[in-house]
Amino acid sequence: MDTAIRLPQAELNIYNKANPVTVPIIENRIATATSSPNIVRHITFDVTGTELENRVKAGQSLGVLPPGTDEKGKPHALRLYSIASPSSGEDGHGRHYSTTVKRLIEELPDDNRLYLGVCSNYLAGLKPGDTVRLTGPSGKRFLLPEEPEKFNYIFFATGTGVAPFRGMLMELAQLNVQPNVILAFGCPYRSDVLYEDFFEGVREKMPSFQFLKTFSREQPRPDGSRPYVQHQISDNPEFFLPILEQPNTLIYICGIKGMEFGIYQELMKSNLAQYLQFRHGADPQKEEIGMDELRKSIKPGDRVFVETY
Ligand code: FAD
Ligand code: NAP
């Protein structure tokens, strides 16, 4: 079996901060099935007639330049948002690309003041017809490989980190020979599941697809800790191990930073060290490996694709 991974050549920064493109948005809707304190919106940009048309790939991000200036009087910095569409866009012609934006709302610890994130709240407040300044695309590794039908995929996502997997799944579902795919998704509560109807519906087109959800704040694990996406590997070995043990399986990780090493720890526990690279002197045979040691000694291997922060 040819398991060599060849990534497509992705185009980068067709537009940049000094030369952004202004496009209208054509859709802005809630991405959860019911209302949730975690407000996440599905927003679609119409890039028709611009140099972005049909040149953005699933897994890449676009930059957004919010209007206005920061407290120092400088123009607001650019923020990145993952594409939630397949490479062919929502419309099949690469003209409409969506993203999944969570409103950043926090109470500041010092004085209990409410802080509203600049760009996420700007985007979430836009209406169809309003315009936005975009840059990009960016990202050249977090992509589906060439000949995607030759691989199996395990997608791990937390929160809005699921955005790229919506696009990638749409793309994989269009293939003649469909791969095995598991999406392990984690969020605080059941009401925070994003695109639930879409992901639940994927099995109709792709019967081998599994959608596994983990709610971190509903039911603690037996030891009192919060359940996280990575625990799915040992909680559901019957789904994961037959796929993870194959040489043509790829792992994609997107979302909160902490999940990355949590996943590596679970891979080690399940004797799946083949997905990882060990820095000089590290011992992959060691039975229990603590998080601090893991961070120092392990890097993702060639079959692992990571986009976290
Ligand atoms: P900001 O205003 O930038 O605030 C961010 C933080 O800075 C706050 O938590 C706050 O604590 C602190 N802060 C800033 N200014 C102040 C102040 N004056 N006083 C107090 N605190 C302050 N996000 C998504 O929702 N969806 C995506 O698909 C997505 N994709 C991404 C892809 C990549 C590759 C990367 C790197 C990021 C992605 N993000 C995504 C995150 C996104 O880029 C933004 O960081 C996010 O939306 C928050 O931006 P904001 O302008 O709303 O918040
Ligand atoms: P969210 O809805 O708050 O969900 C995040 C989930 O991850 C929560 O259930 C949280 O649990 C859990 N979690 C916390 N620590 C974890 C760990 N160590 N391992 C595994 N799971 C853990 O998510 P969100 O607010 O959308 O944020 C998701 C993150 O992804 C943000 O940092 C966002 O900026 C980032 N993001 C990145 C990209 C990208 O790089 N392309 C794209 C989109 C989003 P508890 O809070 O209950 O502990």
Side-chain angles (χ1 to χ4, degrees):
M1 189 192 308
D2 172 17
T3 55
I5 305 161
R6 285 174 287 274
L7 291 179
Q9 196 71 38
E11 299 206 63
L12 296 175
N13 298 317
I14 300 168
Y15 293 102
N16 56 38
K17 235 166 38 173
N19 172 35
V21 63
T22 301
V23 304
I25 71 152
I26 54 170
E27 182 187 21
N28 184 347
R29 64 173 163 85
I30 290 284
T32 47
T34 56
S35 63
S36 156
N38 255 334
I39 303 170
V40 182
R41 304 197 69 93
H42 176 81
I43 298 176
T44 307
F45 307 114
D46 182 356
V47 302
T48 306
T50 73
E51 295 295 321
L52 291 177
E53 195 173 317
N54 220 8
R55 291 170 75 183
V56 180
K57 291 201 181 302
Q60 286 191 297
S61 304
L62 290 173
V64 173
L65 287 166
T69 53
D70 62 19
E71 60 271 24
K72 292 183 187 146
K74 291 193 178 152
H76 281 303
L78 175 148
R79 272 75 164 178
L80 293 173
Y81 293 90
S82 297
I83 290 298
S85 308
S87 307
S88 59
E90 300 292 309
D91 61 319
H93 301 285
R95 294 179 190 139
H96 301 164
Y97 290 106
S98 301
T99 185
T100 313
V101 179
K102 177 174 171 184
R103 279 188 189 270
L104 187 145
I105 304 172
E106 17 176 267
E107 203 180 60
L108 298 175
D110 294 344
D111 56 3
N112 299 353
R113 193 165 49 88
L114 196 62
Y115 178 77
L116 301 182
V118 171
C119 194
S120 56
N121 286 287
Y122 156 68
L123 283 171
L126 294 176
K127 294 184 192 61
D130 290 342
T131 58
V132 57
R133 290 183 304 155
L134 296 182
T135 67
S138 65
K140 59 180 180 187
R141 184 160 191 271
F142 197 79
L143 302 169
L144 288 176
E146 303 271 17
E147 302 183 274
E149 65 285 355
K150 289 192 172 169
F151 299 89
N152 307 304
Y153 301 86
I154 310 281
F155 295 149
F156 288 101
T158 48
T160 51
V162 82
F165 301 134
R166 177 179 179 272
M168 289 180 180
L169 268 165
M170 286 176 163
E171 215 156 301
L172 294 173
Q174 290 162 5
L175 298 173
N176 287 335
V177 183
Q178 288 173 353
N180 293 307
V181 187
I182 299 178
L183 169 60
F185 173 76
C187 58
Y189 299 101
R190 148 148 289 290
S191 56
D192 299 317
V193 180
L194 299 175
Y195 302 118
E196 188 160 23
D197 286 354
F198 167 75
F199 289 123
E200 292 293 358
V202 169
R203 279 174 76 90
E204 284 167 28
K205 287 196 191 133
M206 195 190 261
S208 63
F209 175 63
Q210 297 287 348
F211 180 34
L212 305 173
K213 291 166 271 193
T214 305
F215 306 125
S216 56
R217 300 191 197 174
E218 290 194 356
Q219 186 79 45
R221 289 168 66 76
D223 66 0
S225 65
R226 289 180 175 175
Y228 287 151
V229 273
Q230 55 269 31
H231 301 133
Q232 288 282 357
I233 301 174
S234 45
D235 289 350
N236 291 300
E238 70 283 14
F239 292 139
F240 283 89
L241 297 189
I243 298 181
L244 281 168
E245 282 163 358
Q246 292 177 36
N248 60 332
T249 295
L250 308 181
I251 295 178
Y252 287 69
I253 300 170
C254 189
I256 209 155
K257 187 114 202 129
M259 71 193 284
E260 180 185 355
F261 282 90
I263 290 168
Y264 300 161
Q265 198 171 36
E266 292 298 319
L267 290 172
M268 292 289 292
K269 280 190 201 158
S270 299
N271 294 319
L272 293 159
Q274 62 269 35
Y275 286 93
L276 305 169
Q277 284 182 54
F278 295 84
R279 292 186 209 274
H280 183 69
D283 178 7
Q285 303 304 326
K286 212 168 154 182
E287 289 228 328
E288 248 329 297
I289 183 159
M291 196 53 93
D292 286 346
E293 197 181 341
L294 201 74
R295 284 182 199 279
K296 279 188 234 143
S297 58
I298 285 180
K299 286 199 303 187
D302 293 347
R303 290 197 278 150
V304 180
F305 300 82
V306 185
E307 188 115 312
T308 57
Y309 58 93

